[in-house]
Amino acid sequence: MVVKVYGPAFACPKRVLACLIEKEVEFEAVPLDFLKGEHKDPEFLKLQPFGTVPVTQDGDYVLYESRAIMRYYAEKYKSQGTDLLGKTIEERGQVENWVEVEAHNFNPPIFNLTLHVMFSSKLGFPRDENVIKESEEKLGKVLDIYEERLSKSKYLAGDFFSLADLTHLPFTQYLVGPIGKEHMITSRKHVNAWWNDISNRPSWQKVLQLYDAPL
């Protein structure tokens, strides 16, 4: 059965799409226009009561948190495509560890950067330079830790590409692109090598080719 993925133009659905491509899972992308309020449509709210994306609909089975979705499909289709979870319980532990690091340490500052640099005018609130400065400083400290980690292994969870790396793709793409802070990546030798590797994977290149960012 084809998996429906709602909101392909946005960052978090893009990580889901990359995961599905890596796992060789057939999907259908369903556009959603936030400016027209389609995320508040009663039918959509039946799927996602918080009115955000992504949402995946797999027959009657619905999920709506991107990291949970990735874990689910990486496990469900573990025997096909790229192994994104690790081959041992120890590798799985490292994958989960770094997925959590992304969620709790990396995502908050880069999300604030994205919000204030890219979307403040579109969403109708003032760009806050203090928030931008503070977020860049916080993100820099996180990336310093990544630099140390990646000096010891090719990828975050070890010497294999996994969900731990994949989950970083969409917002880092904003960082080096429209946010205009590519130096935060290129100034760190090992982070830069890691980013060049994961951002050039065919799965991510296909996502970028098929689904434009909501600019």
Side-chain angles (χ1 to χ4, degrees), residues 53-86:
V53 291
V55 175
T56 55
Q57 190 175 15
D58 193 350
D60 294 329
Y61 190 70
V62 175
L63 289 173
Y64 52 74
E65 289 293 339
S66 62
R67 296 172 191 86
I69 294 168
M70 291 193 304
R71 287 178 171 113
Y72 171 75
Y73 284 104
E75 185 68 54
K76 182 176 181 178
Y77 296 99
K78 190 171 175 61
S79 63
Q80 69 185 50
T82 307
D83 182 357
L84 298 172
L85 297 173

Side-chain angles (χ1 to χ4, degrees), residues 37-154:
E38 292 179 356
H39 60 302
K40 298 299 184 184
D41 184 274
E43 289 303 309
F44 182 73
L45 291 175
K46 290 178 183 178
L47 299 174
Q48 216 305 16
F50 298 101
T52 60
V53 291
V55 175
T56 55
Q57 190 175 15
D58 193 350
D60 294 329
Y61 190 70
V62 175
L63 289 173
Y64 52 74
E65 289 293 339
S66 62
R67 296 172 191 86
I69 294 168
M70 291 193 304
R71 287 178 171 113
Y72 171 75
Y73 284 104
E75 185 68 54
K76 182 176 181 178
Y77 296 99
K78 190 171 175 61
S79 63
Q80 69 185 50
T82 307
D83 182 357
L84 298 172
L85 297 173
K87 292 181 171 58
T88 67
I89 190 66
E90 289 77 18
E91 289 181 350
R92 177 68 178 262
Q94 287 296 330
V95 172
E96 294 292 352
N97 182 82
W98 286 95
V99 170
E100 291 297 314
V101 168
E102 184 276 327
H104 298 291
N105 299 93
F106 180 87
N107 189 72
I110 202 169
F111 180 82
N112 281 333
L113 276 174
T114 301
L115 198 61
H116 282 267
V117 174
M118 292 176 60
F119 295 112
S120 58
S121 59
K122 184 163 284 193
L123 295 175
F125 64 88
R127 172 176 167 141
D128 191 324
E129 295 298 336
N130 286 329
V131 170
I132 292 172
K133 183 173 182 289
E134 290 171 6
S135 298
E136 184 171 350
E137 289 173 354
K138 289 178 182 177
L139 182 61
K141 291 177 181 178
V142 174
L143 290 173
D144 286 341
I145 294 171
Y146 279 39
E147 178 70 5
E148 172 65 18
R149 171 64 178 175
L150 292 164
S151 71
K152 299 173 181 175
S153 62
K154 185 175 181 180

